Amino acid sequence: MKLYYLPGACSLASHIMLHEVGAQFDIESVDTKEGRTESGRAYREISPNGYVPALEIETGDYLTEGVAVLQHIADTHPERAFSPKPGSVARARLQQFLNFAAAELHKSWGPLFTDGASAAEQAAAKAKVATKFDHLESVLSDGRDYLVENRFSVADAYTFVLVNWASFKEIDLSNWPNLAGFVARIQARPATLAAMKAEGLV
């Protein structure tokens, strides 16, 4: 397998999970602005939409869209139980949190990573991100360590990456103490540290 990634981007979640399951894989960075992989290949030949992650699997096929990649990694390593069984309420809860991460939290960050966004647009985006953090803070306020059944899952890896972007955009997580604790827990996991080190983030 090979993971195509941009350091610190949402593809970090897939990178973390590949380490969590003990997969044998290679990585190749992508310059999404130039549309080229580190080896010089046109990235849209791999991912037609031009963004990360993309995962080349054993069949030679490419998977794109972060949630799909994460679910594939979990489902092909069921012994690690990073995703509940299909048909269970817990599986639906996992999809709930993955969809919240992708459609709500991830999307809210857009103006903060867009060249040319005005100060007003960035301020509005920070306010919107804060409302998503409020929701996660409420979820974690019952004392759970992880989002689904209090067991680490692919939803935790994805949520961690998106929340951790706060450290790059001057958003103080101390306003959300349960969420800050969640981020610290996930970052301390050996797989997270391995992925972040490989991407030059620590």
Side-chain angles (χ1 to χ4, degrees):
M1 288 191 292
K2 179 184 282 190
L3 176 70
Y4 293 88
Y5 76 100
L6 178 67
C10 58
S11 50
L12 175 60
S14 298
H15 198 170
I16 290 168
M17 292 311 306
L18 287 168
H19 280 287
E20 287 280 2
V21 300
Q24 297 295 314
F25 65 98
D26 297 314
I27 59 174
E28 185 169 348
S29 64
V30 178
D31 184 331
T32 53
K33 290 184 179 180
E34 294 296 325
R36 293 281 172 183
T37 70
E38 186 177 4
S39 63
R41 186 175 176 186
Y43 185 54
R44 286 186 183 272
E45 294 177 1
I46 296 166
S47 176
N49 288 321
Y51 48 74
V52 294
L55 182 67
E56 182 179 2
I57 59 176
E58 291 84 349
T59 61
D61 294 314
Y62 296 101
L63 298 178
T64 61
E65 303 298 334
V67 169
V69 172
L70 289 167
Q71 194 68 71
H72 176 77
I73 293 169
D75 286 348
T76 52
H77 297 82
E79 71 283 356
R80 302 304 301 272
F82 291 131
S83 177
K85 292 181 180 180
S88 66
V89 172
R91 176 73 163 225
R93 292 291 184 202
L94 180 81
Q95 293 301 315
Q96 174 184 313
F97 283 111
L98 285 171
N99 278 282
F100 174 81
E104 298 293 333
L105 180 53
H106 196 164
K107 187 176 179 181
S108 297
W109 281 106
L112 293 166
F113 289 98
T114 300
D115 293 340
S118 69
E121 289 171 329
Q122 292 190 39
K126 283 188 175 182
K128 192 169 186 180
V129 167
T131 67
K132 310 309 175 188
F133 284 6
D134 288 343
H135 172 66
L136 292 169
E137 178 71 12
S138 177
V139 169
L140 294 164
S141 67
D142 63 4
R144 71 182 74 182
D145 289 335
Y146 304 110
L147 294 172
V148 181
E149 293 193 317
N150 208 23
R151 297 183 62 176
F152 179 78
S153 73
V154 290
D156 298 299
Y158 190 14
T159 301
F160 159 76
V161 172
L162 302 181
V163 176
N164 194 49
W165 287 348
S167 62
F168 303 107
K169 295 298 177 179
E170 299 179 347
I171 298 176
D172 187 359
L173 284 183
S174 66
N175 295 314
W176 300 274
N178 293 306
L179 190 55
F182 170 85
V183 168
R185 273 192 300 280
I186 307 303
Q187 187 161 353
R189 294 178 70 89
T192 304
L193 292 172
M196 294 182 76
K197 183 177 181 180
E199 295 190 13
L201 302 173
V202 293

